[in-house]
Amino acid sequence: MADGSGAATIRTTCPYCGVGCGVSGAAGESRTLAVAGDRAHPANAGRLCSKGAALGATVGLEGRLLNPMIGDREVSWKQATALVARRFRETIARHGPDSVAFYVSGQLLTEDYYAANKLMKGFIGSGNIDTNSRLCMASAVAAHKQAFGADLVPGCYEDLDLADLVVFSGHNAAWTHPVLFRRMEAARARGQKHVVIDPRRTDTAEGADLHLPLAPQMDVRLWNGLLADLIRRGAIDRAYIDSHVNGFAAVEAALAEVDQSPTAVAADCGLALADLNTFYDLFAATSRTVSLFSMGANQSAQGVAKGLAILNVHLATGRIGKPGACPFSITGQPNAMGGRETGGMANTLAGHMDFAPEDRDRVARFWGAPDTARAPGLKAVEMFEAIHDGRIKAVWIMATNPAVSLPDTGRVREALARCPFVAVSDCVADGDTLRHAHVKLPALAWGEKNGTVTNSERCISRQRPLFAAPAQARADWRIIADVAAAMGFADGFSWPDASAVFREWTRLTAYENGGRLLDLSGLKGLSRPAYDALEPVQWPVHAPGRGTPRLFTDGRFQTADGRSRMIPVRAAGPASAVDGVYPMSLNTGRIRDQWHTMTRTGLAPDLCRHAPEPFVEIHPRDAAPLGVTEGALARVTTARGESVAVARLTDRQRRGSLFLPMHWSDAFAPAGRSNGLIAPNLDPVSGQPEFKHTPARIRPWRETWKGFLLTAEPLVAGMPAEVIWRRIPQTACQQYEIAGRGDEAERDAVRKLAGRGARGEALVYEDARAGSIRLAWVAGDRLTRVLFMTTSGTLPPRDWLIDLFEAPMPPQARATLLFGRPPGPVVDAGPMVCVCLKVGARAIDAAIASGAGSPDAIGAVTGAGTNCGSCRPELARMIADKREPAHAV
């Protein structure tokens, strides 16, 4: 198939969230790429979010790791592979197999995951392989296993179309899974109700029928209270319980230990009694209910209990395995599910088999690996603690950035610095984690990879290459296989291509399968052409092309007796309580247009416009007595560290709480990193860290000067250590927002840095009394660099100056260059709302003022929301804000 330009169109899968959207890509010359949604893919039917729509801007080779490196030297693959193999062999020989570890990622393909797990657990003989999915979904996995007998997601996306009530529990779907959220628009139009359980009034909550702004860590109390209320009403399904559920009596007895009256539950949860009763009424009256739960539930020291509390309600009401009715854990990464299936987590073996002797022996026989691990390994946070204290002496990190993404990142960085041997496989040449690598192994990036991923509804989809592998970059599974061969395990890793890895993996799922629902026997005989042409299919797959949309439709579960299990769970307070020193609760999370640590999304300038720099949300009533003001820098401090971010005052934030996004890294805003503030408090079962509640305090940062630097080339290094800076990629330049608390010497250091290597004539304006300096460098008719700093004045909008970098500068622009504005009136677009079509808030406000009363009407006037639609919830919120007085606080 070809697009209008004649370029071949290839169907692949998006590399971002767990929705698993199909993408059609047409590669052009010089690695250009036109992308569109794949209309034939069942997950998205042609829709893409802002991130997916911008994939074409992320496939260039700038900043790529293209050759193996030992230290700072480029080497051959043979040299790099030999060194990794030798260091692992020697470490194992001296200290045993548990002295080495792999830390892997939901960005890997299933074939990559399978190879890594087979090498570590099967042939090295240690359980020490874990994945960054531990930070996202481990608690849901543990809850599924306890309740269903295995890590099984019962529902499918069609259930979201059919449900009459959708409960979002700790899930800001409008930002984190926007294509799924848009999928529900038709159901909303027919009357589907939405309830959002979230301490923040997110865009998902803003448009909901009911928002429950829950106090931190009160999820179990809320869901237990709901179950107790359903029992009181007689709204549970006794027949379903009698036939298909164990443990109901124990759960009922545990509920009776605590006052479950609506009044008591509402008080504990910090909710209005009327709102709580409305939730209870809606849930009791609506048989077709889907409860979506995600990071807000999972990323908690009580994550497993929260998941079980949700599952208990659905089991007690029989709302599972039926169209439009299920508990639904939504994954955050494109192949978190594939990693869970293949055994990428330290506490599972492979193919939904654990370390029970019969499971272990079965997998060992299949692999021909008598030394297969007999016990679970260390989970993510425990693994890096073991690196820190020297128990693990060699680690191989694949496709992830733990120096930014793990909690207590200061200690993680110490651990990596201490580790005798660190190998990193990645597609980028530099990064927070890569700086600790002794060996860097160049991996393929999205658009080059060839394999499969599994999305949140168990749908296996193909990622297909749009470009040839650049330079010496290789598939992760091949890198792993080459190292395995160099370690002496060639016979177990002699796959000729990705389809051979996939076939072996599918055969393992079918091997001696006495009832495991993870069964891909219908795919185990795929030829390479059939693998290349594989269409999306939901497992179990017992015959080619025949998937399974829903599980448990017959009421049978993967337990010894076929019955599900309700598990008593009890509400507990936060792992760390707020106090007089740290009186506020810090919540961290994702934003709409960024992904993880911005390695890919940071390459797309359009994705850096909606939220261009780190920010911290705080309620105005909390901010006022502290002197924290809108748009000024604020310092957020916890017992672990400090972060500096722009303050955003909003009544959408619950009083007593802060919200800080998690995406920024050393490459974009080293002082704005969030996870260095987070204590490694873990769920005792899942090992998942607590990212949603950390005691914190906030104060003004109180800069003495501020400024901005625009440069056609990124700065390599040299910013004074005390200066707070944030880099914002633009189409033709890099924007640095800067601020400091030092004296003139500090500002002079920044000025010297700005002038270093600058091309062209320097234009200068200084006002010593106002503490203002403005410099611009012009080479011919091209603007190459701009620096504005002030100690007391204001700074002009950056938009005009940024635009001047894109083309030859008009002659008249030079006259007003140091004023920072064009000749004539200045047009301020306001904050960017629609990044696809570059529509700012002021144009949208004007459309609303002119009578546009819906997102569609705004789109007709401005174009906003008419491309990917990710901004539509924000458009709806802006309309509501204009219509209604401020929310009660």
Side-chain angles (χ1 to χ4, degrees), residues 164 252 304 310 534 580 582 622 648 740 835:
D164 296 319
E252 190 174 28
V304 176
I310 295 168
L534 181 66
Y582 301 110
D622 289 330
R648 285 189 180 177
V835 300

Side-chain angles (χ1 to χ4, degrees), residues 644-686:
V644 178
V646 174
R648 285 189 180 177
L649 277 55
T650 172
D651 66 359
R652 302 173 79 206
Q653 184 65 39
R654 182 185 173 90
R655 293 216 50 197
S657 296
L658 306 170
F659 175 75
L660 189 66
M662 54 78 65
H663 303 285
W664 281 271
S665 65
D666 282 352
F668 294 95
R673 294 185 289 111
S674 68
N675 286 6
L677 281 64
I678 308 302
N681 295 322
L682 308 179
D683 184 288
V685 177
S686 71

